[in-house]
Amino acid sequence: MTARGLMVWGASSGAGKSWLATALCRWYARQGLRVAPFKAQNMSNNARVVATPDGAEGEIGAAQYFQALAAGVEPDVRMNPLLLKPEADTRSQVVLLGRVDAGLTALPWRQRSARVWPVVRQALDELRAQHDLIVMEGAGSPAEINLQDTDIVNLAPVRHAQARALLVADIDRGGAFAHLYGTWALLPPDVRGALRGFVLNKFRGDAALLEPAPQRLQQLTGVPTLATLPLRWGHGLPEEDGVFDDRATRGGGPVRTTVAVVAYPRISNLDEFQPLKNAAGVRLVWARTPADCVGADWIILPGSKATAADLAWLRAQGLDAAIAAHAARGGAVLGICGGLQMLGEALVDPHGVDGNAPGLGLLPLVTVFERDKTVRRSAATFAALPPGPWAALGGVRVRGYEIHHGRTVPHPALVARGEVAHEVLPGLAWCHPAGHVLGLYLHGLFEDEAALRALLGARARPLADVFDGLADLMEAHFAPGALEALAGP
């Protein structure tokens, strides 16, 4: 059987494509369909490690990872065959079927599409052969008329799979009806007929007040508005594409722990902090200035796609001094992946992968960047940690994933002087002897229920509950019979 395709387009970035696609994956899976997500090309530094067809491991965008879980299927690289990981404003690392492709990375942007489309098409065809429905996600807008001749993520998959499409707009921004109409008008004529419904997202108030705009829009386009979805802060999913709001968030109840996560420009894998946003008693702050760190119990240096550049940014903001002062007071500091590398004495880059730089000097380690990237799922048990804020992790077995170029080891000169960090996960984590500074390569610490419970006495909202809540929202707000018709004959 060849699966039906349902595309979720957006009238703009941030309109809600990713979470809507996730919700649809869950809703259709609950109807008994075999569902798989698909996004031909994703640009994001939020990535997850999943299986490849040859039994190895590779990267896909985090959104498709969560969509696969919502659909109840094992995530694999075919669900996001092309991943672009921004390293600078004009440069991205290209990951094809889970692995870095240096040749594609070096190509100009417009020359990539013809090279990768056969691979993308094959991945889509394989998924269609194994499932009943493919919930596709677009990127940006399908009406980017400067890109339509090379578009392999919004238009080509719809043409190839003869898919139906929804178009979602963020009504909270204003101008949603103009966004929907303008997008419809600029769609190429041969795919305009694929558009079967509009979705208004992030609406506040009484939906009846929108009348008669949906009817007028249908008169102009022939396309009905199938759903008006309410504004939902805290729907439980991580934000896609590195987008997060500037408000401090709290999971409910009295604040017991304030966590400041340093939000440098090339932050990566920030989706792993979603459990902290949901956890009772935790206040999460995105820190861009020293003032944002005031009152923090923990300061976290997250992953980075450009560690040396983000370290230079951190210093330019004065955050290095704020972090050092926090550590000097015995405050808890955690570095994850690129953050771990920053905590050491030096970054050494013999192959031009990332850049050379002095580290923050809070752990007696040195990182050497290697040509090949480590991409794997990992599990290990923490050894005993020194007394301090991280000691509760001792003996806890954790599972997560690694995505890094660096290899981190004790700094030889400091070892000779007797300055040695405790290796608390073999090759993965080191703790300062004073117990307050911890660095680890393992992403996903706060997604591990045992680790979250040990550190905070908290329990994250189960993902199954999040997915079911999103599916319930579809049930409540889509027009009766609309979802069945979109996936029907």
Side-chain angles (χ1 to χ4, degrees), residues 78-120:
R78 296 173 301 174
M79 297 169 181
N80 175 210
L82 186 63
L83 175 62
L84 308 180
K85 306 190 77 173
E87 297 176 320
D89 288 345
T90 58
R91 185 180 71 252
S92 295
Q93 184 183 68
V94 178
V95 178
L96 185 64
L97 287 180
R99 297 189 177 92
V100 175
D101 190 310
L104 287 174
T105 299
L107 276 181
W109 178 278
R110 291 181 179 274
Q111 293 183 24
R112 291 176 186 158
S113 296
R115 291 274 297 274
V116 301
W117 172 242
V119 178
V120 170

Side-chain angles (χ1 to χ4, degrees), residues 356-405:
N356 300 291
L360 297 175
L362 295 179
L363 286 173
L365 306 169
V366 62
T367 295
V368 178
F369 290 109
E370 299 177 324
R371 282 196 180 94
D372 295 333
K373 182 190 283 192
T374 297
V375 178
R376 63 189 173 205
R377 290 169 284 191
S378 301
T381 301
F382 276 100
L385 283 82
W390 309 114
L393 288 171
V396 174
R397 183 165 181 79
V398 292
R399 291 173 174 80
Y401 56 100
E402 300 173 60
I403 305 175
H404 56 91
H405 278 281

